[in-house]
Amino acid sequence: MSQATESDVREDGVIDSVSGPVVTATDLDARMNDVVYVGHEGLMGEVIEIEGDITTIQVYEETSDVSPDEPVEGTGSPLSVDLGPGMLDAIYDGVQRPLDVLEEKMGSPYLDRGVDAPGIDLEKTWEFTPTVEAGDEVGPTDIVGTVPETPSIEHKVMVPPDFEGGEVVATESGNFTPDETVVELANGEAITMHQEWPVRQQRPAEEKQTPTTPLISGQRVLDGLFPIAKGGTAAIPGPFGSGKTVTQHQLAKWADADIVIYVGCGERGNEMTEVIEDFPELEDPTTGNALMDRTCLIANTSNMPVAARESCVYTGITIAEYFRDMGYDVALMADSTSRWAEAMREISSRLEEMPGEEGYPAYLAARLSEFYERAGYFENINGLHSSISVIGAVSPPGGDFSEPVTQNTLRIVKTFWALDADLAERRHFPSINWNESYSLYRDQLDPWFVENVREDWPEKRQWGIDTLDEEAELQEIVQLVGKDALPEDQQLTLEVARYLREAWLQQNAFHPTDTYCEPEKTYRILDAIRTFNDEAFDALDAGIPVEELSDLDAVPRLNRIGVQEDYNEYIDELEADIESEIQELY
Amino acid sequence: MKKEYETITEISGPLVFAEVDEPVGYDEIVEIDTGDGDVRRGQVLESTSDYVAIQVFEGTQGIDRNSSVRFLDETMKMKLTEDLLGRVLSGSGDPIDGGPEIEPDERRNIVGKAINPYSREYPEEFIQTGVSGIDGMNTLVRGQKLPIFSASGLPHNDLALQIARQANVPEEEEGEDDEGSEFAVIFGAMGITQEEANEFMDDFERTGALERSVVFTNLADDPAVERTITPRLALTTAEYLAFDKGYHVLVILTDMTNYCEALREIGAAREEVPGRRGYPGYMYTDLAQLYERAGRIKGRDGSVTQIPILTMPGDDDTHPIPDLTGYITEGQIMMNRDLNSQGIEPPINVLPSLSRLMDDGIGEGLTRGDHADVKDQMFAAYAEGEDLRDLVNIVGREALSELDNKYLDFADRFESEFVEQGYNTDRSINETIELGWDLLSMLPPAELNRIDEEFIEEHYRGDEQEAEVTAD
């Protein structure tokens, strides 16, 4: 969180009442959404309501032992994040305080109160190389230089969006701290590597365009059936234990975005620790560098103060927009947006606002759509094209998708990955239900798949979908009369569909090879199953009984393709074996 | 010390409102003297410059307008010392075993601070509970929070006691002299009956576990509001023993449902806007503040492992209490009424059960290299068998294929041999996995598609397979 510096002098107030995270103060001269420091310990808070002389503040830290009559100090600036080199590889709490710095400052493994720390290290020097020279004209968000931030990412230093811009009068390369001027403009504006931006305000862009490139996730069920676009939005709702977090982690690990922002919003402490421990050791499949080099983590665990949970998604999306301005494709995972909505509900109920559906505030839908609208494929003001994809997990109570957070989210997002407790129970992972899920990006992304993977990608995929649909219908009959009562061709369809489920849709996130599946491999597995399908149906037409066709030795090897590193060779051999075995039956 | 007030303006349920003319801290502890020498303790729920709202732990009965209110200038603290081991305390932390007063080394705020995720150590140390349904299928690791989702009339207490008795980390058995890794049990009872409490106490005494335990008891007839502090006292003690004294602490909290009822009672008395089914909207946050106090910390020897027990009203796991719990904890162990009536002990239904930390806690060097594969295959096979049971009811066993019949047999034997073991059998992880292989070998090897071929070659019971074939 940035220390408010630019304050115009404001009057300080006095605490009137304290009730959990909500504090009211009198005589405080503050604007709506200004950051204030509450009490003798200076707990950080934000103004959320002003009524007469009473200012209501939500406090981002625990308020135990805070009492009336303690002072409240205004800062005169809204909740902002520090933007600059040093954000990648970092792990923040909900108001962008680096957790490693907090540990050091507090000298304890527990999070204490009243300790502030800037979001980026203001002492550290970075090697700046200008990309402009004296005499050049620059405007807002134009790139003026670069900093090698991590081995994978070059940080672009930009003119802040609220600057006027103009002619460059001086710049030089060298090592600077984030607050030192690196470029001077003729109108006196001094550009540093450090910017601040209020989290609740979208960073401006030129225009939003239709996304046409998929965000490849390396997960067969997603890339193959329900792809999301770079710049798209997706929701993953599911009851507890259905694998939301593992799916989010998989996306954070393998999605082919340049930058990944992972917002752990009200989730488990041990899970965040897992991310912190795992990511630095994982390799980015495209660059070979550590995954952590392109990742920024925001961790607000479920036992951290609720107000900071409310702000953490905004912190995340603001950082995402900053990287978007540099021309990078950013993917933001929010796990879970339900906790964020619940934080809104909790604050709203402390304010005694009139509740909407299920106690959620009436503005729930507006806040959700505001947030998801910050995603998209943009043309930036500086002319670069880049995207923010947002993937939000939703945790519906009791797994009931009709509740307000799921419903309001579904009205906005275009990809829906429905997690299914039944699938999870039988350890079919990722437990994404192929009948309920959808992606509205399929058509606009097909040209990409046709061009970059295989020409018949859409056609093969449709075959897979049809087979799975048919299976779902047949299963209902099987439930009544048993499988053996079906005609032979339908029995064979069930057999093929089983391989689609087990060999193609299922994917082991914990297997070193199977955890990431490139689109080519996704295609080839599907195609191998199709080969079996075609050969087997031909044989069936020729009068070979279905029992013999479902008892072939080679076919179960389909299930092992996922774990093969040299899959092309394996599949070639397997397809040949299936063909010859079926030929022998004639 | 602040002055005493005799300014009570309103008493409503567990809440007392009093006027004040000096600032009182939020969460501060209050003593209310009823005038006849009876002193009740409470906590400030809301503090304004004119009045405070106080939640009274021991009930408001007998308090009147003339009762005096004294503010103690501090928040609720737990008296901590290693000598707490072997003691039995009330739900408010006072000794009730007739022993001496507690001489604290330290007093600590019971509202624990959040552990910095950066300072946590990821839990991946396997705990062997000796229960196949847990060790084999939903493994517990040190620092995990794994609740038991049960319902009225199910033997969750027997299972909890069995875990408390048998839990150990296999390699450490040889290194008993390793001083940093002693084991301790903290038992927090909230609103359970005297009879249930006796069951626990008798077992603790019988097995000698009491001397390495601290027991907090709030019984069914104790004040409900007190239940909101009992788990916090228990967890503060657990953190002290784990992270200051290096114990591996197992915390059993029972019954979380009663805790949540108490939260609802306070919420209703404060006229808060209720969330689902009348429970307060902040129940998720509140429960998280308890459950998240499990874990390990870098550079500290001890660990806090939690096994909260909750009874699902109407066996409904979508009820807000199990639902919110499941979203916070790292999995759950589900008890099942059908299995119980079949006499399966413990009646664990492994399919909806889950241990989220399992994958990192098992495998070569931790349990066995084939553990994960065997587990996955058994889950899949049991689920398949369960599905087929519905079908058998309609078409009969004869109408099913030979393979389907094998799956049905697998599901039956899985329940009657793998899950069923009785509350006094302590199975090693090796026995559990071998038993798994015994059962999986009922199926043809080609069906074992989740298991690496190498393992199948090594462990598959070839002879039994042949016997099966000839039997057909």
Side-chain angles (χ1 to χ4, degrees):
Chain A
M1 152 62 202
S2 80
Q3 259 145 341
T5 41
E6 37 172 311
S7 61
D8 38 316
V9 181
R10 298 244 162 194
E11 229 173 275
D12 294 344
V14 174
I15 298 181
D16 183 55
S17 76
V18 188
S19 165
V22 174
V23 167
T24 61
T26 50
D27 302 327
L28 180 69
D29 179 20
R31 281 176 303 212
M32 193 68 176
N33 293 116
D34 269 5
V35 169
V36 295
Y37 291 105
V38 174
H40 297 305
E41 290 179 73
L43 311 182
M44 193 163 84
E46 182 181 359
V47 174
I48 52 171
E49 194 176 87
I50 299 173
E51 194 184 344
D53 188 33
I54 303 279
T55 307
T56 308
I57 299 153
Q58 63 175 357
V59 183
Y60 292 125
E61 297 177 79
E62 230 262 313
T63 52
S64 219
D65 224 11
V66 172
S67 62
D69 280 7
E70 288 188 34
V72 178
E73 188 193 327
T75 61
S77 49
L79 184 64
S80 308
V81 286
D82 291 302
L83 302 167
M87 289 193 295
L88 295 174
D89 202 352
I91 159 157
Y92 295 121
D93 76 350
V95 285
Q96 215 211 359
R97 297 182 301 181
L99 287 171
D100 51 343
V101 177
L102 290 187
E103 181 190 63
E104 200 179 305
K105 274 194 169 182
M106 293 169 184
S108 139
Y110 296 102
L111 289 171
D112 231 320
R113 309 192 296 194
V115 180
D116 205 351
I120 54 175
D121 188 345
L122 298 176
E123 310 291 311
K124 183 169 177 174
T125 57
W126 296 91
E127 191 192 334
F128 174 81
T129 313
T131 51
V132 292
E133 49 191 53
D136 288 355
E137 283 286 330
V138 293
T141 76
D142 277 351
I143 293 166
V144 294
T146 60
V147 171
E149 182 170 355
T150 68
S152 356
I153 297 296
E154 187 170 70
H155 195 100
K156 313 267 169 66
V157 179
M158 296 172 292
V159 181
D162 48 358
F163 273 27
E164 251 174 59
E167 193 191 325
V168 175
V169 289
T171 180
E172 61 177 319
S173 58
N175 290 307
F176 300 96
T177 64
D179 275 331
E180 282 176 304
T181 304
V182 290
V183 175
E184 274 176 64
L185 301 185
N187 63 0
E189 284 175 331
I191 296 160
T192 66
M193 289 184 260
H194 177 200
Q195 301 188 11
E196 288 176 23
W197 192 263
V199 296
R200 292 181 202 280
Q201 193 183 333
Q202 183 172 3
R203 279 173 73 92
E206 193 64 40
E207 73 167 335
K208 221 169 161 173
Q209 299 176 339
T210 308
T212 51
T213 317
L215 183 73
I216 295 297
S217 63
Q219 310 303 303
R220 289 189 286 272
V221 60
L222 305 185
D223 295 342
L225 289 181
F226 311 109
I228 175 178
K230 280 193 175 122
T233 50
I236 318 181
F240 62 80
S242 55
K244 273 187 303 301
T245 301
V246 177
T247 310
Q248 288 275 36
H249 282 193
Q250 286 297 93
L251 284 163
K253 284 174 189 169
W254 310 122
D256 69 338
D258 299 316
I259 306 277
V260 170
I261 316 272
Y262 190 90
V263 184
C265 179
E267 287 294 307
R268 302 174 182 86
N270 281 332
E271 267 169 11
M272 288 317 300
T273 308
E274 185 189 4
V275 174
I276 299 167
E277 286 186 9
D278 272 8
F279 277 34
E281 286 167 24
L282 290 170
E283 233 178 54
D284 183 340
T286 44
T287 61
N289 294 320
L291 270 183
M292 204 58 200
D293 287 346
R294 59 157 201 187
T295 310
C296 173
L297 295 173
I298 295 166
N300 176 279
T301 60
S302 55
N303 55 340
M304 289 190 193
V306 66
R309 192 176 317 150
E310 196 270 332
S311 66
C312 68
V313 296
Y314 294 108
T315 303
I317 195 93
T318 311
I319 295 175
E321 283 169 350
Y322 176 67
F323 283 109
R324 175 209 69 194
D325 282 347
M326 294 181 203
Y328 288 120
D329 288 319
V330 186
L332 181 138
M333 325 304 160
D335 184 14
S336 142
T337 55
S338 292
R339 306 293 160 235
W340 170 48
E342 278 163 15
M344 278 189 245
R345 175 167 73 180
E346 190 171 334
I347 306 280
S348 157
S349 117
R350 301 249 185 202
L351 291 176
E352 299 179 354
E353 289 172 343
M354 182 71 81
E357 212 180 336
E358 287 195 22
Y360 286 102
Y363 45 80
L364 172 73
R367 291 278 170 87
L368 281 169
S369 49
E370 248 170 51
F371 168 68
Y372 281 104
E373 267 306 288
R374 287 172 80 167
Y377 179 68
F378 293 92
E379 183 184 334
N380 297 325
I381 295 175
N382 55 18
L384 294 169
H385 287 79
S386 52
S387 65
I388 298 178
S389 318
V390 172
I391 296 147
V394 184
S395 319
D400 170 15
F401 290 176
S402 68
E403 57 92 38
V405 181
T406 315
Q407 283 307 311
N408 284 313
T409 305
L410 288 185
R411 279 177 20 214
I412 311 157
V413 302
K414 293 180 78 176
T415 311
F416 172 54
W417 297 324
L419 293 173
D420 186 325
D422 278 346
L423 290 176
E425 269 186 24
R426 54 184 67 227
R427 302 311 191 251
H428 173 113
F429 287 119
S431 57
I432 291 168
N433 184 311
W434 48 92
N435 293 316
E436 278 180 56
S437 306
Y438 59 78
S439 166
L440 301 180
Y441 295 112
R442 252 186 219 159
D443 293 343
Q444 72 206 59
L445 297 179
D446 273 350
W448 188 92
F449 282 109
V450 166
E451 191 179 324
N452 293 281
V453 193
R454 291 296 173 91
E455 210 166 299
D456 59 348
W457 174 283
E459 185 255 316
K460 286 269 159 59
R461 180 187 59 209
Q462 195 54 45
W463 167 78
I465 294 171
D466 292 345
T467 309
L468 289 166
D469 279 350
E470 199 179 340
E471 186 203 24
E473 276 168 36
L474 292 176
Q475 282 297 353
E476 284 175 27
I477 305 173
V478 170
Q479 289 298 321
L480 292 175
V481 299
K483 191 174 164 185
D484 292 347
L486 292 179
E488 293 216 316
D489 61 328
Q490 294 188 343
Q491 288 189 37
L492 188 55
T493 303
L494 286 179
E495 189 69 11
V496 172
R498 187 163 77 103
Y499 285 108
L500 280 177
R501 283 188 283 114
E502 291 179 359
W504 195 50
L505 296 178
Q506 264 186 34
Q507 194 170 348
N508 186 349
F510 299 98
H511 189 282
T513 307
D514 203 19
T515 185
Y516 174 80
C517 184
E518 56 189 17
E520 172 71 16
K521 188 173 176 185
T522 299
Y523 174 88
R524 289 226 54 187
I525 299 178
L526 179 62
D527 195 41
I529 301 171
R530 177 72 190 258
T531 305
F532 164 58
N533 175 79
D534 293 352
E535 295 288 331
F537 271 98
D538 285 350
L540 194 69
D541 288 343
I544 294 170
V546 69
E547 289 81 36
E548 288 181 29
L549 290 168
S550 41
D551 207 26
L552 297 172
D553 286 337
V555 185
R557 270 158 53 201
L558 286 168
N559 286 330
R560 311 247 175 228
I561 306 175
V563 299
Q564 307 298 327
E565 218 164 317
D566 300 318
Y567 59 90
N568 277 318
E569 210 173 293
Y570 186 91
I571 294 174
D572 290 343
E573 199 178 305
L574 175 58
E575 285 181 337
D577 286 355
I578 291 177
E579 276 166 39
S580 67
E581 262 189 65
I582 291 183
Q583 287 307 318
E584 278 168 30
L585 295 173
Y586 282 96
Chain B
M1 178 82 62
K2 287 172 184 145
K3 61 180 168 182
E4 280 188 39
Y5 292 89
E6 289 186 13
T7 53
I8 294 178
T9 53
E10 188 186 332
I11 304 169
S12 143
L15 300 188
V16 167
F17 294 83
E19 286 176 358
V20 288
D21 57 9
E22 63 190 334
V24 174
Y26 176 71
D27 265 357
E28 205 171 302
I29 290 300
V30 184
E31 283 182 357
I32 299 178
D33 195 331
T34 58
D36 49 12
D38 190 9
V39 177
R40 311 281 173 80
R41 275 192 302 172
Q43 191 173 15
V44 174
L45 276 191
E46 188 177 352
S47 173
T48 74
S49 35
D50 319 315
Y51 72 92
V52 292
I54 301 158
Q55 135 188 337
V56 183
F57 298 135
E58 285 111 341
T60 46
Q61 197 184 12
I63 298 176
D64 64 11
R65 289 189 187 82
N66 303 321
S67 300
S68 68
V69 178
R70 200 162 48 237
F71 297 96
L72 299 188
D73 251 353
E74 63 167 16
T75 52
M76 191 80 182
K77 299 273 199 306
M78 176 70 202
K79 295 175 184 165
L80 295 170
T81 155
E82 222 170 322
D83 298 336
L84 279 170
L85 288 168
R87 300 300 301 270
V88 181
L89 311 174
S90 74
S92 310
D94 302 315
I96 51 168
D97 54 1
E101 277 297 306
I102 297 159
E103 296 287 337
D105 292 338
E106 200 176 330
R107 300 170 75 250
R108 208 173 276 178
N109 195 335
I110 66 161
V111 183
K113 294 174 192 156
I115 302 174
N116 188 332
Y118 186 79
S119 313
R120 277 182 188 267
E121 188 167 314
Y122 189 65
E124 42 197 4
E125 217 176 338
F126 164 66
I127 299 182
Q128 179 174 301
T129 64
V131 180
S132 295
I134 297 176
D135 292 352
M137 309 299 283
N138 299 288
T139 315
L140 176 70
V141 299
R142 270 185 180 162
Q144 186 172 13
K145 38 196 182 293
L146 189 65
I148 298 176
F149 281 16
S150 187
S152 338
L154 295 182
H156 41 263
N157 292 343
D158 296 316
L159 179 61
L161 279 169
Q162 185 176 16
I163 295 171
R165 254 192 333 260
Q166 299 179 351
N168 71 75
V169 173
E171 316 117 333
E172 264 171 31
E173 279 174 320
E174 295 100 51
E176 289 279 320
D177 52 356
D178 184 3
E179 222 183 295
S181 62
E182 272 178 277
F183 197 68
V185 175
I186 307 255
F187 179 65
M190 292 160 284
I192 64 171
T193 61
Q194 181 72 55
E195 217 172 304
E196 280 177 283
N198 289 346
E199 191 189 334
F200 276 99
M201 292 307 297
D202 289 349
D203 196 87
F204 283 167
E205 274 167 31
R206 183 169 59 81
T207 58
L210 188 59
E211 59 192 70
R212 53 184 179 94
S213 308
V214 189
V215 177
F216 294 84
T217 49
N218 166 286
L219 296 179
D221 55 351
D222 287 334
V225 178
E226 192 185 74
R227 277 163 216 164
T228 59
I229 56 168
T230 307
R232 295 192 159 79
L233 294 168
L235 288 165
T236 308
T237 311
E239 281 173 348
Y240 172 78
L241 290 175
F243 303 131
D244 291 54
K245 301 290 169 191
Y247 285 85
H248 287 297
V249 186
L250 180 68
V251 184
I252 299 175
L253 298 172
T254 179
D255 175 333
M256 291 307 293
T257 306
N258 295 332
Y259 172 83
C260 295
E261 299 292 341
L263 277 188
R264 178 160 71 173
E265 187 181 333
I266 296 163
R270 292 183 67 186
E271 299 177 5
E272 291 168 342
V273 181
R276 270 207 310 156
R277 299 218 191 171
Y279 293 96
Y282 50 79
M283 194 157 87
Y284 177 83
T285 310
D286 192 281
L287 287 173
Q289 280 167 354
L290 298 181
Y291 297 141
E292 276 292 330
R293 292 173 80 173
R296 308 203 57 171
I297 291 180
K298 273 183 215 159
R300 309 270 172 119
D301 289 328
S303 63
V304 177
T305 308
Q306 273 189 41
I307 302 192
I309 298 172
L310 57 89
T311 48
M312 298 180 282
D315 293 13
D316 173 13
D317 67 356
T318 65
H319 183 281
I321 298 170
D323 192 51
L324 295 179
T325 299
Y327 276 121
I328 304 162
T329 55
E330 284 132 358
Q332 66 277 336
I333 300 294
M334 284 270 196
M335 306 285 267
N336 181 278
R337 200 173 290 281
D338 288 342
L339 291 177
N340 188 46
S341 58
Q342 284 169 39
I344 307 284
E345 293 181 346
I348 297 173
N349 185 0
V350 300
L351 290 181
S353 300
L354 172 71
S355 167
R356 290 165 189 275
L357 302 182
M358 176 170 194
D359 292 294
D360 292 302
I362 62 172
E364 197 65 59
L366 297 154
T367 55
R368 263 172 58 163
D370 56 342
H371 190 168
D373 286 0
V374 169
K375 169 207 65 160
D376 284 343
Q377 191 67 57
M378 287 209 288
F379 266 116
Y382 183 50
E384 177 83 32
E386 273 273 270
D387 276 357
L388 288 167
R389 280 179 181 167
D390 296 337
L391 193 55
V392 168
N393 289 336
I394 303 168
V395 299
R397 264 191 106 124
E398 297 72 34
L400 296 184
S401 69
E402 189 193 320
L403 183 63
D404 286 350
N405 273 302
K406 282 185 183 160
Y407 273 108
L408 280 167
D409 291 338
F410 175 87
D412 290 342
R413 283 184 62 190
F414 180 80
E415 284 168 5
S416 62
E417 292 174 36
F418 189 86
V419 180
E420 154 72 28
Q421 64 177 98
Y423 297 111
N424 292 310
T425 312
D426 188 354
R427 282 190 196 145
S428 75
I429 182 64
N430 210 31
E431 287 172 274
T432 294
I433 297 177
E434 285 303 320
L435 188 54
W437 276 109
D438 285 348
L439 298 183
L440 286 176
S441 300
M442 298 168 70
L443 305 169
E447 285 295 303
L448 306 185
N449 55 21
R450 314 260 178 137
I451 304 183
D452 202 284
E453 275 150 346
E454 248 174 68
F455 293 131
I456 297 184
E457 223 155 89
E458 192 181 339
H459 297 282
Y460 189 79
R461 316 283 193 245
D463 300 341
E464 282 179 45
Q465 164 66 6
E466 273 162 34
E468 287 268 338
V469 173
T470 44
D472 289 329

